[in-house]
């Protein structure tokens, strides 16, 4: 989901939907992340008429799966930029340009809210999480998922570790993201807001030249390479050495972890 910042907009400078190749990067993200996400969502006891909200919907892969899960329900696919969603034709799908930080949605509107790779990028993530919880209907589910870079720190590959950390530093400096501690704190933020039936899942995929996680992180780093160098997080040579890992058929390492937490609003 593109996020504004003080430097002309996260979407325009780093990973926004207006940038060339962003649709391909989002497709790689879906390939890498959707299977683990859907393994949890498909197991939740959603009623056929559930009202669902997908925040930061991107290409809409999760939103479309929710339409299939809830054949009598409705799905709202929300993003700051909906260009990859606008062509989706389904009368039960409501595509909305929406800023989750300022949107005024009625309390109790949704039976499921899904937000992946969103909260960690928002400096006011604690306040936004409270807003999401407030939009849940009694008994409704909230599913949040964010990246944590802790597996990278133990990588035996210096070039890979250096580039990944440089990308992390660049996003943190430009956007205010917390890709270390926020997701690592799950599920505590959900428990603190009174959610019940709380669960936790950590997925850490392999990075190879052709694995879904390898393709995702290569595309992401290629798009921010100039910002990495311009911001001084790594030299041009370090960036190229790190990217060479993703093209090496003999290279294997761990991707950053995707940490998911989910919980249910009290029924009364």
């Amino acid at each position: 989901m593109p996020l504004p910042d003080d430097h002309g907009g996260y979407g325009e400078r780093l990973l926004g939907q207006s940038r060339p190749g962003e649709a391909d990067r989002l497709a790689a993200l879906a390939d890498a992340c959707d299977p683990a996400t859907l393994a949890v969502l498909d197991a939740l006891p959603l009623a056929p008429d559930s009202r669902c909200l997908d925040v930061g919907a991107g290409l809409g892969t999760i939103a479309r799966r929710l339409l299939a899960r809830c054949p009598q329900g409705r799905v709202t696919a929300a993003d700051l930029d909906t260009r990859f969603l606008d062509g989706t034709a389904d009368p039960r799908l409501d595509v909305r340009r929406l800023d989750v930080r300022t949107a005024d949605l009625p309390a109790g509107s949704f039976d499921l809210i899904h937000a992946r790779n969103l909260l960690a990028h928002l400096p006011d993530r604690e306040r936004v999480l409270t807003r999401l919880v407030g939009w849940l209907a009694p008994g409704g589910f909230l599913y949040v998922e964010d990246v944590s870079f802790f597996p990278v720190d133990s990588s035996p590959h210096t070039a890979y570790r250096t580039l990944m950390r440089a990308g992390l530093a660049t996003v943190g400096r430009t956007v205010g993201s917390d890709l270390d501690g926020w997701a690592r704190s799950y599920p505590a933020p959900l428990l603190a807001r009174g959610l019940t039936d709380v669960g936790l899942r950590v997925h850490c995929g392999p990075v190879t030249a052709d694995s879904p996680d390898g393709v995702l992180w290569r595309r992401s780093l290629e798009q921010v390479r100039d910002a990495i160098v311009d911001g001084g997080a790594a030299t041009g040579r370090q960036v190229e050495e790190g990217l060479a890992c993703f093209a090496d058929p003999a290279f294997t390492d761990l991707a950053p972890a995707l940490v998911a937490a989910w919980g249910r609003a009290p029924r009364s």
Side-chain angles (χ1 to χ4, degrees):
M1 180 176 185
L3 308 169
D5 63 40
D6 296 330
H7 306 280
Y10 168 62
E12 293 305 315
R13 296 199 63 211
L14 294 182
L15 301 172
Q17 287 157 331
S18 62
R19 290 185 58 115
E22 181 61 4
D24 291 337
R25 193 189 72 86
L26 290 176
L29 188 150
D31 288 344
C33 302
D34 280 6
T37 299
L38 293 172
V40 175
L41 293 182
D42 286 349
L44 295 179
L46 298 178
D49 61 350
S50 291
R51 301 158 298 165
C52 304
L53 171 65
D54 184 12
V55 186
L59 295 180
T61 57
I62 297 298
R64 288 192 291 273
R65 181 62 166 260
L66 291 172
L67 286 171
R69 272 291 312 277
C70 306
Q72 286 86 52
R74 294 192 62 85
V75 176
T76 300
D79 212 317
L80 286 178
D81 187 333
T82 60
R83 70 183 66 196
F84 299 138
L85 298 166
D86 289 337
T88 304
D90 190 305
R92 296 184 297 116
L93 180 65
D94 179 20
V95 175
R96 296 189 58 179
R97 292 179 61 89
L98 181 147
D99 186 339
V100 72
R101 300 167 304 174
T102 58
D104 186 17
L105 298 180
S109 296
F110 299 101
D111 303 298
L112 170 72
I113 298 175
H114 166 266
R116 185 172 68 193
N117 292 333
L118 172 75
L119 291 172
H121 292 297
L122 299 175
D124 53 349
R125 57 190 67 91
E126 294 276 3
R127 183 181 66 85
V128 172
L129 178 58
T130 299
R131 290 169 63 82
L132 294 178
V133 171
W135 295 342
L136 287 175
F141 290 94
L142 174 66
Y143 177 98
V144 293
E145 184 171 5
D146 286 287
V147 169
S148 183
F149 266 57
F150 65 85
V152 173
D153 293 331
S154 59
S155 170
H157 301 103
T158 301
Y160 171 76
R161 188 174 66 247
T162 298
L163 177 57
M164 294 294 278
R165 272 287 159 189
L168 169 67
T170 299
V171 174
R173 172 182 56 81
T174 306
V175 184
S177 304
D178 179 2
L179 299 180
D180 273 324
W182 172 250
R184 188 66 180 83
S185 74
Y186 286 163
L190 276 63
L191 291 167
R193 286 160 177 82
L195 297 187
T196 64
D197 302 326
V198 169
L200 181 70
R201 190 260 304 148
V202 180
H203 172 72
C204 188
V207 171
T208 68
D210 57 0
S211 68
D213 281 278
V215 174
L216 167 62
W217 287 102
R218 175 180 59 80
R219 289 188 181 278
S220 298
L221 291 162
E222 285 175 342
Q223 285 195 213
V224 302
R225 67 199 302 168
D226 291 343
I228 289 173
V229 175
D230 292 345
T235 65
R237 180 176 179 177
Q238 288 173 318
V239 171
E240 296 309 315
E241 290 174 345
L243 287 174
C245 294
F246 293 89
D248 182 355
F251 178 80
T252 302
D253 209 323
L254 295 177
L258 276 171
V259 185
W262 59 94
R264 195 168 199 173
R267 291 190 176 277
S268 59

